[in-house]
Amino acid sequence: MKRLVILISGRGSNMEAIVKACAAEGWPASIAAVISNRPDAGGLQFAAERGIATAVVDHKAYASRDDFDAELARIIDSFSPDLVVLAGFMRILTPAFTARYERRLLNIHPSLLPAFTGLHTHERALAMGCKVAGATVHFVTAELDHGAIVMQGVVPVQPGDDAKTLAGRVLTAEHRIYPQSVRWFVEDALVWVGDTVQHRDGAAQQLLLS
Ligand code: GRF
């Protein structure tokens, strides 16, 4: 049984998709805790209603990133996780933090990495005239939005799209590729090949939505 800790900052729809898939598909895993850096994160209520332990580490209460990350790690470690899942967790993490959870820290980013690291991915994809967009699940390293790619979901950019409609389409893909990626981790189906990650049995690590 693998223990998961999920970090959120907002509505937590990816966290919700993971929690529901874990229960519905009977993963060999339990959600040990959902932790937020914002006391008002909408997803905390969903987690609490499901009987999942919740905690808040409010970044505003800490003088430095180092102090915040140290306390965050202390709270995370109190739940003894095998995997830490960043699900819309909107804080830049220090190298000490990412090193502590090396190869057991996942993130989802709403672009087809390595394009559009950072914020405002959908606006930037539209401004570039991209014809496809998507999301990436990757292991976290010290470099923002880098690290081995576990899975990517690709969606078309449609004529007339704005950032909101495109974000909605990408989110549909996110809700499929993130649970799938976490499931592979808890099933020990991910194999490191150098600095990349492959599925043990060659399962498709991309989702193409039309
Ligand atoms: C998602 O688009 C995720 O890719 C990005 O932030 C958003 C979080 O949404 N990092 P939610 O909180 O999971 O609903």
Side-chain angles (χ1 to χ4, degrees), residues 130-141:
C130 290
K131 308 310 175 204
V132 292
T136 304
V137 176
H138 64 98
F139 281 94
V140 176
T141 62

Side-chain angles (χ1 to χ4, degrees), residues 7-17 43 86-90 107-111 118-119 121-122 134-136 145 167 170-171 174-175 178:
L7 270 53
I8 63 170
S9 294
R11 75 191 152 180
S13 69
N14 278 289
M15 175 272 296
E16 205 174 313
L86 306 178
F89 186 69
M90 303 301 284
N107 182 45
I108 191 161
H109 182 72
S111 79
L119 296 173
T121 54
H122 307 303
T136 304
D145 298 328
V170 171
L171 195 64
E174 292 184 39
H175 292 166
Y178 215 179

Side-chain angles (χ1 to χ4, degrees), residues 50-82:
R50 304 278 291 214
I52 298 168
T54 62
V56 173
V57 184
D58 188 343
H59 62 275
K60 294 196 190 106
Y62 298 86
S64 70
R65 260 186 217 286
D66 286 332
D67 290 352
F68 169 70
D69 279 8
E71 178 61 6
L72 183 61
R74 195 182 68 77
I75 301 293
I76 291 170
D77 290 351
S78 73
F79 294 101
S80 308
D82 298 288

Side-chain angles (χ1 to χ4, degrees), residues 15-27:
M15 175 272 296
E16 205 174 313
I18 291 165
V19 168
K20 285 180 174 167
C22 181
E25 298 170 10
W27 299 356

